[in-house]
């Protein structure tokens, strides 16, 4: 399949979301501008790591700029997005490698999500040019407020899964689970 580049600079909407019931959810990043809609699938841990790293990046930008950068300290109320994913949800590709950067000239967060490949972790992930990478790419450039809103929603989506077992911390299914701390008895 030929390489596709989905570039949203900036998107009207960029969110993390899921489909399916807790325990069997599929995680997506979704970007939209006008009629262009791109959805890419990824793992729960990738959503969590991306949100945490974006938060750290924004905090560092605020710290280094002495508060002069156009990055809010918290998510502005008018930037929150709790709406469901846009439909149709059609997976363009599954995310392997992600990169994150701050464009100081334009004062934007740049997120790049590369398709899983045979040599995932290749040149683009190691500092090569994204244009040279043969894998499909989703590139999103976000303002500080949009990036904060993305993080708030992404972390809430990750936390909305199955509740943890109070004994072992593993996720609880509605019917319980075999808890290793209960010597194999169902909790």
């Amino acid at each position: 399949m030929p390489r596709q580049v989905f570039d949203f600079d900036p998107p009207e909407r960029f969110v993390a979301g899921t489909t399916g019931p807790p325990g069997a959810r599929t995680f997506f990043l979704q970007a939209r501008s006008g009629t262009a809609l791109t959805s890419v699938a990824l793992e729960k841990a990738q959503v969590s790591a991306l949100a945490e790293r974006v938060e750290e990046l924004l905090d560092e930008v605020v710290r280094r700029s002495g508060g002069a950068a156009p990055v809010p300290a918290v998510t502005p109320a008018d930037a929150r997005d709790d709406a469901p994913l846009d439909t149709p949800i059609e997976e363009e590709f599954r995310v392997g490698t992600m990169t994150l950067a701050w464009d100081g000239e334009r004062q934007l967060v740049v997120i790049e999500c590369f398709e899983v490949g045979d040599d995932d972790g290749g040149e683009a992930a190691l500092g090569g040019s994204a244009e040279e990478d043969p894998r499909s790419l989703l590139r999103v450039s976000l303002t500080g407020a949009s990036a904060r809103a993305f993080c708030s929603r992404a972390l809430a989506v990750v936390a909305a899964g199955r509740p943890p077992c109070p004994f072992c911390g593993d996720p609880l299914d509605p019917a319980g689970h075999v808890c290793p701390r209960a010597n194999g008895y169902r909790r």
Side-chain angles (χ1 to χ4, degrees), residues 103-120:
D103 182 342
E105 253 180 55
R106 298 175 53 219
Q107 306 271 324
L108 297 173
V109 173
V110 180
I111 299 169
E112 293 180 330
C113 300
F114 293 89
E115 180 179 23
V116 170
D118 295 335
D119 60 342
D120 202 22

PDB file of all heavy atoms in Angstrom, residues 103-120:
ATOM      1  N   ASP A 103       7.277  23.415  18.206  1.00  0.00           N
ATOM      2  CA  ASP A 103       7.689  24.321  17.143  1.00  0.00           C
ATOM      3  C   ASP A 103       7.720  25.719  17.756  1.00  0.00           C
ATOM      4  O   ASP A 103       6.691  26.384  17.875  1.00  0.00           O
ATOM      5  CB  ASP A 103       6.703  24.249  15.977  1.00  0.00           C
ATOM      6  CG  ASP A 103       7.089  25.129  14.801  1.00  0.00           C
ATOM      7  OD1 ASP A 103       7.916  26.051  14.977  1.00  0.00           O
ATOM      8  OD2 ASP A 103       6.562  24.897  13.697  1.00  0.00           O
ATOM      9  N   GLY A 104       8.907  26.171  18.153  1.00  0.00           N
ATOM     10  CA  GLY A 104       9.065  27.451  18.836  1.00  0.00           C
ATOM     11  C   GLY A 104       8.708  28.645  17.972  1.00  0.00           C
ATOM     12  O   GLY A 104       8.226  29.655  18.480  1.00  0.00           O
ATOM     13  N   GLU A 105       8.951  28.557  16.676  1.00  0.00           N
ATOM     14  CA  GLU A 105       8.627  29.652  15.768  1.00  0.00           C
ATOM     15  C   GLU A 105       7.125  29.891  15.699  1.00  0.00           C
ATOM     16  O   GLU A 105       6.659  31.015  15.759  1.00  0.00           O
ATOM     17  CB  GLU A 105       9.133  29.328  14.355  1.00  0.00           C
ATOM     18  CG  GLU A 105      10.331  30.128  13.944  1.00  0.00           C
ATOM     19  CD  GLU A 105      10.760  29.734  12.536  1.00  0.00           C
ATOM     20  OE1 GLU A 105       9.925  29.785  11.602  1.00  0.00           O
ATOM     21  OE2 GLU A 105      11.936  29.367  12.405  1.00  0.00           O
ATOM     22  N   ARG A 106       6.394  28.802  15.549  1.00  0.00           N
ATOM     23  CA  ARG A 106       4.939  28.900  15.398  1.00  0.00           C
ATOM     24  C   ARG A 106       4.203  28.734  16.718  1.00  0.00           C
ATOM     25  O   ARG A 106       2.985  28.872  16.770  1.00  0.00           O
ATOM     26  CB  ARG A 106       4.476  27.856  14.389  1.00  0.00           C
ATOM     27  CG  ARG A 106       5.098  28.118  13.016  1.00  0.00           C
ATOM     28  CD  ARG A 106       4.771  27.052  11.988  1.00  0.00           C
ATOM     29  NE  ARG A 106       3.337  26.835  11.881  1.00  0.00           N
ATOM     30  CZ  ARG A 106       2.785  25.637  11.723  1.00  0.00           C
ATOM     31  NH1 ARG A 106       3.530  24.565  11.640  1.00  0.00           N
ATOM     32  NH2 ARG A 106       1.482  25.516  11.612  1.00  0.00           N
ATOM     33  N   GLN A 107       4.914  28.366  17.782  1.00  0.00           N
ATOM     34  CA  GLN A 107       4.333  28.171  19.112  1.00  0.00           C
ATOM     35  C   GLN A 107       3.255  27.079  19.088  1.00  0.00           C
ATOM     36  O   GLN A 107       2.152  27.263  19.587  1.00  0.00           O
ATOM     37  CB  GLN A 107       3.753  29.484  19.642  1.00  0.00           C
ATOM     38  CG  GLN A 107       4.727  30.636  19.652  1.00  0.00           C
ATOM     39  CD  GLN A 107       5.527  30.717  20.932  1.00  0.00           C
ATOM     40  OE1 GLN A 107       5.015  30.429  22.010  1.00  0.00           O
ATOM     41  NE2 GLN A 107       6.786  31.097  20.837  1.00  0.00           N
ATOM     42  N   LEU A 108       3.615  25.924  18.501  1.00  0.00           N
ATOM     43  CA  LEU A 108       2.688  24.805  18.369  1.00  0.00           C
ATOM     44  C   LEU A 108       3.339  23.501  18.809  1.00  0.00           C
ATOM     45  O   LEU A 108       4.553  23.321  18.663  1.00  0.00           O
ATOM     46  CB  LEU A 108       2.225  24.640  16.913  1.00  0.00           C
ATOM     47  CG  LEU A 108       1.434  25.779  16.285  1.00  0.00           C
ATOM     48  CD1 LEU A 108       1.227  25.513  14.794  1.00  0.00           C
ATOM     49  CD2 LEU A 108       0.097  25.967  16.981  1.00  0.00           C
ATOM     50  N   VAL A 109       2.535  22.593  19.320  1.00  0.00           N
ATOM     51  CA  VAL A 109       2.956  21.221  19.602  1.00  0.00           C
ATOM     52  C   VAL A 109       2.755  20.421  18.327  1.00  0.00           C
ATOM     53  O   VAL A 109       1.702  20.511  17.703  1.00  0.00           O
ATOM     54  CB  VAL A 109       2.109  20.606  20.739  1.00  0.00           C
ATOM     55  CG1 VAL A 109       2.431  19.137  20.920  1.00  0.00           C
ATOM     56  CG2 VAL A 109       2.310  21.361  22.041  1.00  0.00           C
ATOM     57  N   VAL A 110       3.768  19.652  17.926  1.00  0.00           N
ATOM     58  CA  VAL A 110       3.667  18.828  16.720  1.00  0.00           C
ATOM     59  C   VAL A 110       3.756  17.361  17.131  1.00  0.00           C
ATOM     60  O   VAL A 110       4.741  16.935  17.741  1.00  0.00           O
ATOM     61  CB  VAL A 110       4.776  19.171  15.701  1.00  0.00           C
ATOM     62  CG1 VAL A 110       4.648  18.290  14.463  1.00  0.00           C
ATOM     63  CG2 VAL A 110       4.726  20.642  15.333  1.00  0.00           C
ATOM     64  N   ILE A 111       2.709  16.612  16.795  1.00  0.00           N
ATOM     65  CA  ILE A 111       2.643  15.178  17.089  1.00  0.00           C
ATOM     66  C   ILE A 111       2.659  14.429  15.766  1.00  0.00           C
ATOM     67  O   ILE A 111       1.889  14.750  14.867  1.00  0.00           O
ATOM     68  CB  ILE A 111       1.359  14.831  17.866  1.00  0.00           C
ATOM     69  CG1 ILE A 111       1.319  15.582  19.196  1.00  0.00           C
ATOM     70  CG2 ILE A 111       1.248  13.324  18.081  1.00  0.00           C
ATOM     71  CD1 ILE A 111      -0.027  15.494  19.904  1.00  0.00           C
ATOM     72  N   GLU A 112       3.547  13.451  15.651  1.00  0.00           N
ATOM     73  CA  GLU A 112       3.598  12.601  14.472  1.00  0.00           C
ATOM     74  C   GLU A 112       3.381  11.157  14.901  1.00  0.00           C
ATOM     75  O   GLU A 112       4.043  10.672  15.813  1.00  0.00           O
ATOM     76  CB  GLU A 112       4.940  12.728  13.749  1.00  0.00           C
ATOM     77  CG  GLU A 112       5.165  14.094  13.137  1.00  0.00           C
ATOM     78  CD  GLU A 112       6.502  14.207  12.424  1.00  0.00           C
ATOM     79  OE1 GLU A 112       7.460  13.524  12.823  1.00  0.00           O
ATOM     80  OE2 GLU A 112       6.564  14.978  11.448  1.00  0.00           O
ATOM     81  N   CYS A 113       2.456  10.497  14.240  1.00  0.00           N
ATOM     82  CA  CYS A 113       2.147   9.092  14.511  1.00  0.00           C
ATOM     83  C   CYS A 113       2.430   8.303  13.239  1.00  0.00           C
ATOM     84  O   CYS A 113       1.794   8.537  12.213  1.00  0.00           O
ATOM     85  CB  CYS A 113       0.685   8.935  14.905  1.00  0.00           C
ATOM     86  SG  CYS A 113       0.227   9.869  16.373  1.00  0.00           S
ATOM     87  N   PHE A 114       3.377   7.370  13.323  1.00  0.00           N
ATOM     88  CA  PHE A 114       3.779   6.565  12.172  1.00  0.00           C
ATOM     89  C   PHE A 114       3.115   5.202  12.234  1.00  0.00           C
ATOM     90  O   PHE A 114       2.957   4.611  13.300  1.00  0.00           O
ATOM     91  CB  PHE A 114       5.303   6.368  12.152  1.00  0.00           C
ATOM     92  CG  PHE A 114       6.060   7.635  11.896  1.00  0.00           C
ATOM     93  CD1 PHE A 114       6.440   8.450  12.947  1.00  0.00           C
ATOM     94  CD2 PHE A 114       6.382   8.016  10.602  1.00  0.00           C
ATOM     95  CE1 PHE A 114       7.140   9.621  12.722  1.00  0.00           C
ATOM     96  CE2 PHE A 114       7.088   9.183  10.368  1.00  0.00           C
ATOM     97  CZ  PHE A 114       7.465   9.992  11.433  1.00  0.00           C
ATOM     98  N   GLU A 115       2.780   4.686  11.078  1.00  0.00           N
ATOM     99  CA  GLU A 115       2.190   3.363  10.943  1.00  0.00           C
ATOM    100  C   GLU A 115       3.167   2.300  11.454  1.00  0.00           C
ATOM    101  O   GLU A 115       4.379   2.427  11.302  1.00  0.00           O
ATOM    102  CB  GLU A 115       1.896   3.126   9.460  1.00  0.00           C
ATOM    103  CG  GLU A 115       1.284   1.805   9.139  1.00  0.00           C
ATOM    104  CD  GLU A 115       0.994   1.667   7.650  1.00  0.00           C
ATOM    105  OE1 GLU A 115       1.631   2.351   6.831  1.00  0.00           O
ATOM    106  OE2 GLU A 115       0.128   0.851   7.316  1.00  0.00           O
ATOM    107  N   VAL A 116       2.611   1.246  12.045  1.00  0.00           N
ATOM    108  CA  VAL A 116       3.434   0.111  12.434  1.00  0.00           C
ATOM    109  C   VAL A 116       4.084  -0.432  11.173  1.00  0.00           C
ATOM    110  O   VAL A 116       3.429  -0.584  10.144  1.00  0.00           O
ATOM    111  CB  VAL A 116       2.582  -0.996  13.097  1.00  0.00           C
ATOM    112  CG1 VAL A 116       3.387  -2.268  13.275  1.00  0.00           C
ATOM    113  CG2 VAL A 116       2.043  -0.537  14.426  1.00  0.00           C
ATOM    114  N   GLY A 117       5.373  -0.698  11.239  1.00  0.00           N
ATOM    115  CA  GLY A 117       6.086  -1.217  10.071  1.00  0.00           C
ATOM    116  C   GLY A 117       6.929  -2.415  10.436  1.00  0.00           C
ATOM    117  O   GLY A 117       7.050  -2.777  11.607  1.00  0.00           O
ATOM    118  N   ASP A 118       7.513  -3.021   9.420  1.00  0.00           N
ATOM    119  CA  ASP A 118       8.378  -4.173   9.649  1.00  0.00           C
ATOM    120  C   ASP A 118       9.573  -3.797  10.512  1.00  0.00           C
ATOM    121  O   ASP A 118      10.045  -4.583  11.321  1.00  0.00           O
ATOM    122  CB  ASP A 118       8.882  -4.740   8.317  1.00  0.00           C
ATOM    123  CG  ASP A 118       7.746  -5.290   7.482  1.00  0.00           C
ATOM    124  OD1 ASP A 118       6.712  -5.673   8.069  1.00  0.00           O
ATOM    125  OD2 ASP A 118       7.885  -5.320   6.248  1.00  0.00           O
ATOM    126  N   ASP A 119      10.064  -2.579  10.314  1.00  0.00           N
ATOM    127  CA  ASP A 119      11.224  -2.117  11.080  1.00  0.00           C
ATOM    128  C   ASP A 119      10.823  -0.968  11.993  1.00  0.00           C
ATOM    129  O   ASP A 119      11.475   0.056  12.045  1.00  0.00           O
ATOM    130  CB  ASP A 119      12.351  -1.693  10.137  1.00  0.00           C
ATOM    131  CG  ASP A 119      11.939  -0.553   9.217  1.00  0.00           C
ATOM    132  OD1 ASP A 119      10.713  -0.321   9.073  1.00  0.00           O
ATOM    133  OD2 ASP A 119      12.833   0.099   8.653  1.00  0.00           O
ATOM    134  N   ASP A 120       9.694  -1.134  12.729  1.00  0.00           N
ATOM    135  CA  ASP A 120       9.207  -0.064  13.599  1.00  0.00           C
ATOM    136  C   ASP A 120      10.328   0.408  14.506  1.00  0.00           C
ATOM    137  O   ASP A 120      11.051  -0.368  15.089  1.00  0.00           O
ATOM    138  CB  ASP A 120       8.027  -0.557  14.435  1.00  0.00           C
ATOM    139  CG  ASP A 120       7.173   0.584  14.935  1.00  0.00           C
ATOM    140  OD1 ASP A 120       7.220   1.668  14.318  1.00  0.00           O
ATOM    141  OD2 ASP A 120       6.465   0.388  15.932  1.00  0.00           O
TER     142      ASP A 120
END
